[in-house]
Amino acid sequence: LVSLFFLNLSADTTTEILNEFGIKDTEANRAIIASIENSISQRDVEDFKKIILDASHNATMVKSELEAIDAPHFLLYLAMTESKFQNRATSSKRAGGMWQFMPGTARAFGLDVNEQVDERRDPFLSTDTAFKYLDFLNEKFDKWYLSLMAYNCGDGCMGKAIRNSGSDDFATLL
């Protein structure tokens, strides 16, 4: 997810990324950002453009929802990274929909997931739910990079990682 912000990285952009994600400005964290930047190939850039074009209806809808709730613009890329904006996407772990919700998380945040209906596949309902879930995570962790990590692994796992490492520092957790 973070790598999408490094397409034209400069010192000012690095500072902006650190600030936007709530990452402490340290040499170790800057080194990680530089490493991510260096790992981006031209093919990655072309894939990114293709995903946005192929799923422009969902990308546009998510962008509009983000603007309506004044959420950080980088959240647009979460759905792209999770599913390429595809409502029918399903992971090997049973995460489903554009936002790749696990069934239990989807239910906990108000989506119906059963044999008759799977609201994880509804782009509007799942987008609203994703923003509720992200709001919950950001309230809990108070830093966007922790919230995004927790979105991927679960808030319990993120809490355990912080406890085990003794730190919520970006570089330490990675």
Side-chain angles (χ1 to χ4, degrees), residues 6 10 20 29 44-45 76 95 114 116 119 143 148 154 160:
F6 302 103
S10 68
E20 182 122 8
N29 290 338
D44 293 332
V45 173
L76 170 70
N114 56 53
Q116 287 77 38
E119 290 181 338
K143 294 177 183 163
L148 294 170
K160 184 177 179 181

Side-chain angles (χ1 to χ4, degrees), residues 1-64:
L1 172 64
V2 175
S3 64
L4 300 173
F5 287 93
F6 302 103
L7 300 178
N8 294 305
L9 197 64
S10 68
D12 289 339
T13 305
T14 300
T15 301
E16 181 182 336
I17 290 165
L18 292 168
N19 290 336
E20 182 122 8
F21 285 89
I23 301 169
K24 189 173 181 181
D25 190 348
T26 65
E27 283 302 315
N29 290 338
R30 283 182 173 271
I32 290 170
I33 291 171
S35 173
I36 292 168
E37 177 200 11
N38 292 334
S39 73
I40 298 170
S41 69
Q42 187 58 39
R43 181 178 175 171
D44 293 332
V45 173
E46 295 306 316
D47 287 347
F48 168 77
K49 290 175 185 175
K50 182 176 178 354
I51 290 165
I52 293 291
L53 289 173
D54 288 351
S56 62
H57 56 289
N58 278 346
T60 300
M61 184 269 300
V62 171
K63 187 174 186 295
S64 294

Side-chain angles (χ1 to χ4, degrees), residues 100-146:
Q100 289 294 282
F101 279 114
M102 294 298 288
T105 304
R107 286 186 203 100
F109 283 85
L111 294 177
D112 285 334
V113 180
N114 56 53
E115 290 181 17
Q116 287 77 38
V117 67
D118 188 346
E119 290 181 338
R120 297 176 301 168
R121 312 281 181 202
D122 181 300
F124 296 98
L125 290 175
S126 65
T127 296
D128 288 343
T129 302
F131 294 159
K132 277 194 268 184
Y133 184 44
L134 286 162
D135 187 52
F136 163 81
L137 292 170
N138 204 40
E139 287 283 322
K140 183 171 185 173
F141 294 107
D142 197 34
K143 294 177 183 163
W144 279 112
Y145 71 94
L146 295 173

